[in-house]
Amino acid sequence: MTDTPIRVGFIGLNPGAHWAATAHIPALKALPDSYEVVGVANTSLASARNAADAFGLPHAFENAQALVNSPAIDLVVVTVKVPHHRELVTAALNAGKHVYCEWPLGNGLAEAKDLADLAEAKGVVAAVGTQMRVAPEVEYLRQLIADGYVGEVLSTTLVGSGGQWTAETDAAHAYLHERNNGATLLSIPLGHTLAGVHEVLGGFSDLAARMINRRTTTRVTDTNETIPMTSHDQVLVQGLLESGAAVSIHYRGGLSRGTNLLWEINGTQGDLQVTGVTGHAQIVQLSIRGANGETSEMAPLTPPASAYDGWPDNSVARNVAHLYALIAQDIRSGTRTAPSFRDAVALHETLDAIERSAARNSHWHGRSNVPPAALRTPVEC
């Protein structure tokens, strides 16, 4: 496969402003020597044919099983809702295909572990779409930290807004508001961003969390229906990183009129600040400012031009393209450089720890802003 493009089949590709069309297709077009998109399977054959016609693909499959069984497909890309990931990824792995699955890998930790075990047993490349890890700005941040720009990291603070998980939604996104679907404020915007934080600063050694529902219903604008919102719209985490640095996180539903993404890294010799227009740090253009040594005011810090030259000109497709480049290298060379299913398990473990900590502290969740006096003490992790 070193001389021919890797043949890609999508499960979940539709024309218009859908994720696969706006992120994956431009990313793959930026790597024409490595990839060729050849097929699609959607919820119906008619839908698959519509997508195949729109994107000029030779194969429209009647269902996902037909796609994963096809000898015309080398890499299966799964870009559907989280509750369907386990079934579709399992089918692709059992067919011996390489797989790129969107994050979250599974609907919870147990599913992610099962998929990682199966991928390793099959010996294929199995990558997960935590593309913030390979964003040029995150790679630059990681190098700044490694080079000692801030000295020893003392603490990091993260505040973000999720956009969804607010008083209104539309029918296409209503499923995000049901916690059991696994596509929550915690798992999607915060989960994606934590993948980048882990890449730069390492993981948690311990944590304590609160998850709160300040909004209990949301209105579906398409239908004017009011539905329950069981996915939390406030996530708070405090703890220690493996390095010993302190960490504090607050993610909230909706958008703020003020700050929607602020990630600060404070050290003995300097400080770094990362901002963006939403808390979905995996897709927004990140801006970095910093100061160290005798400098008292922060100034912009920009990755080298080579990090952007030849890549898509927007952060949505560019980050995904960087991930696809690693997948191609892994398929052709037998390496394992792309974010893997096992990496996804580690991230799921962090989210699971947040949920378990929040559950232990749920006795004063809800609309009350002040816990009973007996509970105003540190909570053991």
Side-chain angles (χ1 to χ4, degrees):
M1 200 175 290
T2 57
D3 298 326
T4 59
I6 298 162
R7 299 167 300 174
V8 179
F10 274 90
I11 302 176
L13 171 63
N14 290 283
H18 295 273
W19 174 247
T22 57
H24 286 259
I25 294 299
L28 290 164
K29 285 183 176 179
L31 300 165
D33 294 335
S34 296
Y35 291 103
E36 179 185 7
V37 182
V38 299
V40 56
N42 286 337
T43 53
S44 69
L45 180 57
S47 175
R49 285 174 173 163
N50 181 54
D53 290 343
F55 295 105
L57 310 183
H59 301 291
F61 294 95
E62 59 182 327
N63 54 45
Q65 193 63 53
L67 183 147
V68 302
N69 287 341
S70 172
I73 304 296
D74 304 310
L75 172 67
V76 175
V77 179
V78 177
T79 57
V80 299
K81 293 177 180 178
V82 180
H84 305 294
H85 284 187
R86 181 177 188 174
E87 176 187 3
L88 297 173
V89 172
T90 297
L93 292 173
N94 282 332
K97 304 297 185 181
H98 304 295
V99 179
Y100 177 153
C101 181
E102 281 294 346
W103 170 264
L105 175 57
N107 190 350
L109 176 58
E111 288 191 6
K113 284 181 174 178
D114 288 345
L115 292 174
D117 290 345
L118 180 59
E120 290 173 358
K122 295 297 182 180
V124 298
V125 173
V128 68
T130 49
Q131 66 269 20
M132 184 182 172
R133 288 184 55 186
V134 297
E137 300 80 19
V138 168
E139 293 180 342
Y140 183 54
L141 276 171
R142 182 179 57 195
Q143 193 61 51
L144 286 172
I145 297 294
D147 290 345
Y149 184 91
V150 303
E152 181 183 4
V153 176
L154 300 173
S155 68
T156 188
T157 305
L158 175 64
V159 176
S161 300
Q164 287 284 331
W165 304 281
T166 185
E168 290 187 345
T169 188
D170 57 18
H173 296 93
Y175 84 104
L176 298 172
H177 297 259
E178 167 53 58
R179 182 180 181 182
N180 290 335
N181 286 330
T184 63
L185 176 68
L186 171 65
S187 67
I188 295 183
L190 181 50
H192 269 292
T193 304
L194 282 176
V197 172
H198 289 181
E199 188 71 16
V200 175
L201 298 177
F204 285 89
S205 63
D206 71 298
L207 60 83
R210 300 271 195 262
M211 293 171 62
I212 301 168
N213 280 91
R214 294 294 291 162
R215 304 173 179 91
T216 58
T217 62
T218 188
R219 185 175 72 88
V220 182
T221 55
D222 311 50
T223 63
N224 205 31
E225 176 188 11
T226 297
I227 62 172
M229 184 161 71
T230 59
S231 176
H232 301 90
D233 65 338
Q234 306 291 325
V235 179
L236 302 98
V237 184
Q238 289 186 325
L240 295 175
L241 298 179
E242 293 168 348
S243 66
V247 57
S248 178
I249 298 170
H250 181 194
Y251 257 60
R252 62 274 179 108
L255 288 174
S256 167
R257 294 171 182 83
T259 300
N260 284 304
L261 179 66
L262 173 62
W263 175 21
E264 291 193 336
I265 302 170
N266 310 112
T268 56
Q269 301 297 322
D271 302 279
L272 290 164
Q273 186 181 81
V274 183
T275 57
V277 296
T278 79
H280 290 263
Q282 77 280 11
I283 59 176
V284 300
Q285 178 60 57
L286 300 175
S287 297
I288 304 171
R289 292 168 59 84
N292 64 0
E294 299 301 317
T295 306
S296 59
E297 293 186 5
M298 285 194 169
L301 297 171
T302 306
S306 58
Y308 301 100
D309 291 345
W311 297 96
D313 59 6
N314 68 84
S315 57
V316 172
R318 181 170 59 243
N319 293 349
V320 175
H322 276 270
L323 203 157
Y324 270 115
L326 295 181
I327 294 171
Q329 175 182 315
D330 290 346
I331 290 174
R332 289 173 163 168
S333 304
T335 54
R336 291 293 184 269
T337 58
S340 69
F341 281 16
R342 191 57 62 188
D343 294 329
V345 169
L347 185 54
H348 272 286
E349 287 174 338
T350 296
L351 302 189
D352 186 69
I354 292 171
E355 290 184 314
R356 287 186 286 108
S357 176
R360 289 195 296 270
N361 301 325
S362 64
H363 35 47
W364 64 272
H365 281 182
R367 294 186 176 275
S368 172
N369 291 319
V370 181
L375 300 179
R376 296 177 203 159
T377 55
V379 177
E380 182 179 351
C381 297

